[in-house]
Amino acid sequence: MKLNLVPARTGMTWVKLGVQTFFNQPLALTGLFFMFLAVFTVAGFVPVLGLLVALALVPAASLGLMAATDEASKGRFPMPAVLISAFRAGQAQRKSMLILGGLYAVLFIAMALVTVVIDGGGFAKMYLLGGAMNKETVSAPGFQSAALVFLVMYAPFAMAFWHAPALVHWHGVGPGKSVFFSFIACWRNLGAMVVFCLTWMAVMMGALMFVLLLTGAIGGQELVGIVMVPTTLLLASMFFVSMFFSFKDSFVADDESTAKPVESDGVAS
C-alpha cells in the first residue's frame, strides 16, 4: 500500500464522482443511507449505552456505505447486506473494526467532556445526550466557546478516522496504524481535502437555497418545511458516497501502482 498525493483540484473530482455515482443508483444508496441513520436513531433510544454503541458503530457503518458506493461505481446494485461488510470480512478484520469503533467512541466522548471545563457541561449534554438546542442554550455563558473548542479538536479527529475504516477493510491495516495513516493521508492531501469540503459546502448551500426559494414561491412556509428535510438527507447521502473516492485516490495497492498510471504529485510509502 502506498500513499498517493493528488492535486488540490482533485477534491472537486471527488464531489463530481460522488454525485454521479449516487444518481447511478439513487434508490439503493438513499435506502442504505436511511438504514444507516435508522441504526443510530434506534441505538440513541437507549440511555448512555445506546450512545456508546452508536458511536462505536460509526466506522463500520461508514465502511458499509463506502462498500455500497464501490458496488454502485462498478454498475452493480448494492444490497442491504453490504452495510455489514465490516463484519463479514474475516475474524481479524472484524476484531480490528470493533477496536477501531471503540477507539472512535472513547475519543469522541473525551473531546465532548473537555468542553465541560469551559461551559459547565451545557454543550456536552446537548451534543451527547440530545438536549434541546434553543436560544437559551446557545446564549448560555461559555456555550459558543465550548462549541468552538470542540470544532478545533474535531478537525484532526475527523482526519484520523476519515480513511481508517477503509484501510482496515480493504488493506488489512491494524486499527492504530489505520488511524495514523488516515491522518497522514489527509494532511499530505490537505489541499484536495479542503477543496472537497468547500465544494460540498457550496453545493449544499446552493441546493438548499434553490429548494428554499422554489418551494417558498410555490407553497409557502409549510411546503418549505416538508421539502427541506428530505433534501438535506439526500445531500448528506451524496456526501458519504463521495468519501469513497477520496479514499480510492489517496491510497494505491502496491500491485496497482505498477499496473496502471495514477495522476499524482508524488508517492510516499
Side-chain angles (χ1 to χ4, degrees):
M1 180 193 71
K2 293 184 177 181
L3 170 61
N4 190 45
L5 305 185
V6 299
R9 65 179 181 275
T10 308
M12 296 183 67
T13 302
W14 296 338
V15 175
K16 179 181 177 182
L17 289 172
V19 174
Q20 287 178 340
T21 303
F22 176 84
F23 282 109
N24 286 340
Q25 296 286 357
L27 293 179
L29 292 173
T30 299
L32 290 171
F33 181 71
F34 274 82
M35 291 175 65
F36 169 87
L37 291 180
V39 170
F40 299 109
T41 301
V42 172
F45 290 145
V46 181
V48 184
L49 182 60
L51 171 66
L52 291 172
V53 171
L55 288 173
L57 286 176
V58 168
S62 299
L63 184 278
L65 291 177
M66 293 179 75
T69 302
D70 187 30
E71 290 287 293
S73 69
K74 295 174 181 176
R76 297 195 287 260
F77 187 90
M79 301 301 290
V82 76
L83 281 180
I84 58 172
S85 296
F87 303 114
R88 301 171 65 195
Q91 184 175 356
Q93 286 168 302
R94 181 164 58 247
K95 180 180 178 181
S96 292
M97 194 66 72
L98 289 171
I99 294 173
L100 185 67
L103 184 61
Y104 182 96
V106 169
L107 291 178
F108 189 95
I109 292 174
M111 289 191 304
L113 292 179
V114 167
T115 66
V116 173
V117 301
I118 300 174
D119 71 341
F123 176 83
K125 181 179 179 180
M126 184 206 72
Y127 209 70
L128 296 178
L129 302 179
M133 180 180 243
N134 48 45
K135 185 176 180 180
E136 293 182 359
T137 302
V138 175
S139 60
F143 181 89
Q144 295 181 18
S145 296
L148 180 60
V149 168
F150 182 84
L151 183 62
V152 170
M153 291 188 293
Y154 186 80
F157 172 82
M159 292 167 66
F161 284 92
W162 190 271
H163 301 302
L167 287 171
V168 168
H169 182 73
W170 278 299
H171 291 286
V173 180
K177 288 184 177 180
S178 71
V179 170
F180 174 76
F181 290 147
S182 175
F183 179 84
I184 294 299
C186 290
W187 182 256
R188 295 291 300 275
N189 284 321
L190 188 60
M193 295 298 295
V194 170
V195 170
F196 173 79
C197 292
L198 290 177
T199 302
W200 261 118
M201 287 177 61
V203 169
M204 289 184 176
M205 290 177 64
L208 291 175
M209 184 62 67
F210 174 77
V211 170
L212 178 64
L213 293 174
L214 181 63
T215 54
I218 296 175
Q221 292 300 315
E222 290 186 1
L223 184 60
V224 170
I226 294 173
V227 174
M228 288 296 281
V229 172
T231 300
T232 302
L233 293 175
L234 286 175
L235 290 169
S237 62
M238 291 181 202
F239 174 83
F240 274 93
V241 168
S242 62
M243 286 178 63
F244 170 74
F245 298 100
S246 69
F247 164 74
K248 190 176 180 181
D249 275 353
S250 295
F251 295 93
V252 183
D254 291 336
D255 55 344
E256 292 179 354
S257 64
T258 57
K260 62 180 181 179
V262 180
E263 179 187 9
S264 66
D265 292 338
V267 177
S269 296

